[in-house]
Amino acid sequence: MIDLNSISTKPLITPTTHQMTLSDHWDHFLARVGYKRSQHRIKPGLYSIGDPQSDSPVFVTANYTLSFDALRSNLEGIDCYILVLDTFGVNVWCAAGKKTFGTDELVMKINATQLKKVIDRHILILPQLGAPGISAHEVKKRTGFKVQYGPVRASDLPEYLRTNRATPEMRKVIFGLSDRMVLISVDFKHNFLPTILLSIAAWLLLDGLLPASSVLAILFSASILFPILLPWLPSKNFSTKGFFLGFLTAIPFILVTLFGNTDTSLIHQISRALAYLLVIPPPVAYIGLNFTGATTFTSKSGVRREMLRYIPVMAWTFGTGILVMIASIFI
Amino acid sequence: MMVKIMYDAYSMNTLQYDQTLCNGCGMCVNVCPHAVFEMHARKAMMVNPLACMECGACQLNCVTAAIKVDSGVGCAAGMIRAALQGKPEAECS
């Protein structure tokens, strides 16, 4: 057995600043568009800002550059330490959900960085959204460190430090239009290539422009319009919101099919219009349902209830629509 | 009930709270991102249970185990992937 306390190495503290460089901003941009999504990491361990003393505050965060930078960019003029946990490049809230931003990891990092040698005041300030992964009383029991949950947003930290309390507003997660907009790019990129391939397939197999553009319309509605319109789409369920938006998306294609080109037989037009009505809404609803994972308020049991009820509906509607579409080729 | 789920699957959840066990520490009020709890007369009160997203922060930080919730990530993609791979839920990427 090696007694860890007998090893007298000096605690390793890496200095950093509150300033963002051009390469930081570039990194944030790449992270937002989902380029090498899990590789926006910083080295876990202990960092310092300014000239912290043994009674300076210690903040805890994840080793995702967007998390680390959101924290330090709000600490201008505050001498402090930052303890970075190894969350494998995942943000605080998501990492807390899977317990990598968790009690065990926090205890391990407190010991590994020899934090007790660095500060006298054994208090840690954690982001509130780390709480799903951390048990404060468990950390106290195992390390003697008191966990304080700071505000949700790092931008409220200066005020939190001044008043030593977080207001109810600071404790609430908000999910506004701008928050939803920044999520668009990742979802869009995720679905972009399959959409292009499907669109080309629709072009070749069916009769050209209209079916091909209907595939693009699905992507546009589901990945861009859905997040923007989320609060205003009817019903609480994401799948029914998606079905509604998908139905609106299908309307122009139905109208053009019925009233646009009248060269083909009436039965062909009606069957093709019916196919659009059945094929377009389900994928929009499905991608919409998947947006639950990006939001800040859906519960696990609620999402499961939605899935059990609506995924079969999506599958049957879509499958029937594809059969009608195939049949319309021959009539 | 079934009709309600058709347009609102979030009209119920798994959050349970036994106020008799509360020691009034206020941790649940601090950690909840949706203001489900409020302090009244040195006891936590569940004032908005339907806002719960089942993140589990309150349960994990309740020293007297007065709060129970079946916590996990409310993410369809994660659950579908877990179901397809036969893995436990609460994974997301």
Side-chain angles (χ1 to χ4, degrees):
Chain A
M1 274 283 278
I2 305 168
D3 182 6
L4 286 172
N5 292 319
S6 69
I7 305 170
S8 59
T9 48
K10 248 183 102 193
L12 182 70
I13 304 171
T14 315
T16 181
T17 69
H18 73 275
Q19 278 157 333
M20 295 295 115
T21 62
L22 207 59
S23 82
D24 289 329
H25 289 299
W26 177 239
D27 169 81
H28 300 169
F29 171 76
L30 292 180
R32 288 294 185 202
V33 298
Y35 177 75
K36 293 192 176 173
R37 239 181 116 188
S38 60
Q39 296 309 315
H40 300 269
R41 304 185 188 197
I42 53 146
K43 205 166 172 281
L46 195 57
Y47 291 77
S48 67
I49 289 185
D51 183 23
Q53 307 300 314
S54 61
D55 60 347
S56 296
V58 183
F59 300 99
V60 182
T61 191
N63 78 324
Y64 180 44
T65 53
L66 287 180
S67 304
F68 183 65
D69 291 352
L71 174 60
R72 66 189 178 99
S73 64
N74 282 289
L75 295 174
E76 182 176 1
I78 298 168
D79 297 321
C80 61
Y81 295 101
I82 300 177
L83 181 65
V84 177
L85 306 188
D86 190 358
T87 61
F88 306 94
V90 173
N91 71 73
V92 170
W93 208 10
C94 290
K98 44 176 125 181
K99 317 293 183 209
T100 48
F101 191 99
T103 305
D104 289 342
E105 167 66 9
L106 178 57
V107 170
M108 213 151 76
K109 282 290 176 292
I110 289 171
N111 294 333
T113 58
Q114 306 174 64
L115 196 56
K116 273 192 175 153
K117 287 186 185 171
V118 180
I119 51 165
D120 305 330
R121 226 170 54 117
H122 292 169
I123 297 177
L124 302 172
I125 300 173
L126 269 67
Q128 186 192 324
L129 295 185
I134 304 278
S135 173
H137 52 270
E138 180 89 17
V139 174
K140 172 89 182 167
K141 204 163 68 188
R142 285 164 65 177
T143 66
F145 276 83
K146 185 176 180 219
V147 167
Q148 277 180 1
Y149 290 108
V152 167
R153 286 163 291 276
S155 54
D156 288 327
L157 272 174
E159 195 190 326
Y160 175 81
L161 290 175
R162 258 198 317 277
T163 61
N164 206 20
R165 73 177 279 268
T167 63
E169 287 70 45
M170 292 184 197
R171 293 246 172 261
K172 263 191 125 167
V173 163
I174 39 179
F175 194 52
L177 183 61
S178 59
D179 299 304
R180 299 198 301 278
M181 299 270 280
V182 295
L183 294 168
I184 288 175
S185 53
V186 169
D187 202 36
F188 187 80
K189 176 182 165 265
H190 189 70
N191 293 314
F192 184 70
L193 194 63
T195 306
I196 294 300
L197 294 176
L198 274 174
S199 183
I200 292 169
W203 183 293
L204 297 175
L205 293 172
L206 301 162
D207 49 8
L209 193 62
L210 202 59
S213 51
S214 75
V215 181
L216 298 179
I218 289 171
L219 177 72
F220 181 74
S221 282
S223 294
I224 297 176
L225 289 184
F226 188 90
I228 292 175
L229 299 176
L230 185 70
W232 301 289
L233 292 169
S235 85
K236 279 271 176 66
N237 285 343
F238 282 56
S239 11
T240 39
K241 283 172 184 283
F243 268 114
F244 179 80
L245 182 63
F247 175 68
L248 294 186
T249 311
I251 288 175
F253 294 94
I254 294 168
L255 292 180
V256 170
T257 308
L258 289 179
F259 304 110
N261 177 6
T262 45
D263 294 348
T264 51
S265 69
L266 187 64
I267 183 83
H268 175 83
Q269 284 174 314
I270 290 175
S271 60
R272 188 53 69 86
L274 181 65
Y276 281 126
L277 177 66
L278 295 171
V279 165
I280 293 176
V284 178
Y286 183 78
I287 296 173
L289 176 60
N290 274 297
F291 195 65
T292 49
T295 70
T296 58
F297 52 84
T298 53
S299 62
K300 185 176 91 166
S301 68
V303 172
R304 187 190 290 119
R305 274 189 289 277
E306 260 206 70
M307 285 170 55
L308 291 176
R309 172 151 294 263
Y310 286 105
I311 286 187
V313 179
M314 293 173 199
W316 281 107
T317 313
F318 186 73
T320 311
I322 291 290
L323 289 180
V324 174
M325 188 67 91
I326 292 169
S328 74
I329 297 173
F330 304 103
I331 42 182
Chain B
M1 195 57 95
M2 285 316 268
V3 176
K4 185 123 179 73
I5 294 172
M6 280 183 72
Y7 60 94
D8 187 4
Y10 305 94
S11 59
M12 52 173 122
N13 59 49
T14 61
L15 179 63
Q16 287 177 313
Y17 170 52
D18 181 353
Q19 202 181 32
T20 59
L21 295 175
C22 179
N23 70 356
C25 75
M27 210 55 161
C28 53
V29 180
N30 284 350
V31 297
C32 179
H34 293 291
V36 169
F37 294 93
E38 270 178 20
M39 293 305 286
H40 287 283
R42 293 170 173 247
K43 290 260 182 192
M45 242 179 85
M46 216 157 47
V47 289
N48 193 8
L50 285 188
C52 176
M53 61 174 293
E54 300 175 340
C55 74
C58 52
Q59 171 177 266
L60 200 57
N61 285 281
C62 180
V63 70
T64 62
I67 305 171
K68 295 261 176 304
V69 59
D70 180 16
S71 67
V73 181
C75 163
M79 289 190 215
I80 294 165
R81 196 161 42 240
L84 292 177
Q85 297 172 349
K87 284 182 184 166
E89 282 176 2
E91 287 297 308
C92 61
S93 57

